């Protein structure tokens, strides 16, 4: 009797294989990003598309997100008698944590799902195979512009979410909780520092890269025809969410360890 060679040698081998392929795709995108010809037109089109489907949902989510953070922190600081630090706590929480996460979730949910569906439909129509036969790299032609566009839109939307969230937090704290405008702004300027904004933008760019890579990988590898494309879209969103929260934990831990707090 022959020995089966197609079965995984140990439990979890398939998951490790998929992880390796995803990592390989990310490395290929980074390598081909600096190779000519650069697809500038495709980049602009994808940037506009991702921004158009993400701007309005992101703005609508940023307002209640900032309001919830401001209301909870305002209530907590009032209980412990530290109302003067409400502004700093609210703004730092919005800029460092809420803004990049909200941006990444909307990029993955709106832009990433559309990206995955587009690439999946191209794959089942064998357009990707036809490009490879013609000697055209589908990664350089299709994936690189989409990844760069997602990173650019993520950085742009992160700044917008930060502004909208801070303004929303200011309104709800000062107007609804009878806070002091001067104390709100003074505490923020006393404790915030420029690296807080930089880590927010760095998180957003990395999250945009991961969301686009996962969406592209699942779009290039659908299983089961048209139904498999829908399954790939759902899988890409779920996988992206899991990776984003894990990356956020790692980046936040590194930032708090490497960058000393202001005034410490």
């Amino acid at each position: 009797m022959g020995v089966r060679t197609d079965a995984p040698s140990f439990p979890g081998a398939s998951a490790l294989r998929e992880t390796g392929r995803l990592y390989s795709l990310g490395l290929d995108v980074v390598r081909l990003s600096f190779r000519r010809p650069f697809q500038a037109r495709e980049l602009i089109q994808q940037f506009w598309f991702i921004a158009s489907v993400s701007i309005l949902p992101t703005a609508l989510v940023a307002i209640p997100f900032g309001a919830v953070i401001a209301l909870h922190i305002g209530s907590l600081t009032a209980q412990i008698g530290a109302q003067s630090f409400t502004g700093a706590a609210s703004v730092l929480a919005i800029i460092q944590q809420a803004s990049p996460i909200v941006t990444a979730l909307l990029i993955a949910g709106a832009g990433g799902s559309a990206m995955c569906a587009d690439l999946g439909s191209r794959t089942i129509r064998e357009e990707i195979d036809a490009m490879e036969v013609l000697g055209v790299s589908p990664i350089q032609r299709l994936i690189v512009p989409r990844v760069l566009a997602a990173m650019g839109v993520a950085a742009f939307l992160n700044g917008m979410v930060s502004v909208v969230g801070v303004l929303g937090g200011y309104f709800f704290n000062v107007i609804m909780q009878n806070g002091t405008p001067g104390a709100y702004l003074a505490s923020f300027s006393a404790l915030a520092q420029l690296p807080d904004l930089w880590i927010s933008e760095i998180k957003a760019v990395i999250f945009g890269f991961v969301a686009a890579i996962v969406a592209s990988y699942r779009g290039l590898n659908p299983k089961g025809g048209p139904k498999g494309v829908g399954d790939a879209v759902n899988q890409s969103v779920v996988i992206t969410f899991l990776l984003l929260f894990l990356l956020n934990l790692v980046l936040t831990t590194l930032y708090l360890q490497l960058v000393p707090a202001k005034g410490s």
Side-chain angles (χ1 to χ4, degrees):
M1 296 180 61
V3 179
R4 291 183 61 185
T5 58
D6 57 341
S9 58
F10 59 90
S14 177
L16 289 177
R17 191 178 300 112
E18 293 292 321
T19 303
R21 291 172 179 171
L22 178 65
Y23 182 75
S24 176
L25 177 61
L27 291 180
D28 289 340
V29 169
V30 173
R31 177 175 56 87
L32 294 176
S33 297
F34 304 97
R35 181 175 296 181
R36 295 182 178 181
F38 185 74
Q39 306 296 328
R41 183 175 181 180
E42 184 76 12
L43 172 63
I44 295 173
Q45 291 177 347
Q46 292 300 319
F47 186 97
W48 173 251
F49 170 74
I50 297 175
S52 64
V53 300
S54 304
I55 286 180
L56 182 59
T58 303
L60 294 178
V61 170
I63 297 175
F65 216 93
V68 168
I69 293 177
L71 291 175
H72 275 284
I73 293 181
S75 176
L76 179 62
T77 54
Q79 294 178 21
I80 62 177
Q83 295 92 332
S84 59
F85 294 100
T86 302
S90 300
V91 173
L92 290 179
I94 292 172
I95 292 178
Q96 287 189 16
Q97 303 298 328
S99 294
I101 290 180
V102 169
T103 299
L105 294 183
L106 268 298
I107 289 290
S113 58
M115 188 187 309
C116 181
D118 175 56
L119 293 174
S121 63
R122 291 172 183 261
T123 301
I124 63 174
R125 292 197 304 264
E126 299 182 349
E127 292 183 17
I128 304 298
D129 294 336
M131 293 178 64
E132 293 178 345
V133 170
L134 294 174
V136 178
S137 171
I139 296 178
Q140 183 179 10
R141 179 63 179 82
L142 299 176
I143 308 303
V144 170
R146 285 164 169 77
V147 172
L148 295 179
M151 295 169 64
V153 173
F156 167 73
L157 291 182
N158 181 68
M160 185 189 73
V161 173
S162 298
V163 173
V164 174
V166 169
L167 292 178
Y170 176 86
F171 173 81
F172 281 94
N173 179 258
V174 174
I175 303 301
M176 299 189 64
Q177 293 183 320
N178 299 320
T180 304
Y184 189 95
L185 298 176
S187 63
F188 168 60
S189 61
L191 296 180
Q193 52 185 340
L194 188 59
D196 297 327
L197 180 60
W198 284 117
I199 188 60
S200 179
E201 289 293 328
I202 291 173
K203 281 183 179 181
V205 171
I206 294 177
F207 292 168
F209 176 83
V210 171
I213 289 294
V214 173
S216 300
Y217 177 76
R218 294 306 306 145
L220 292 175
N221 298 277
K223 299 178 181 179
K227 181 181 180 299
V229 176
D231 295 337
V233 171
N234 294 332
Q235 293 171 5
S236 70
V237 174
V238 174
I239 294 172
T240 301
F241 284 5
L242 295 175
L243 291 177
L244 291 181
F245 284 109
L246 178 61
L247 282 174
N248 183 63
L249 172 63
V250 174
L251 292 174
T252 301
T253 303
L254 290 176
Y255 174 75
L256 294 178
Q257 293 295 323
L258 297 177
V259 180
K262 190 175 181 179
S264 60

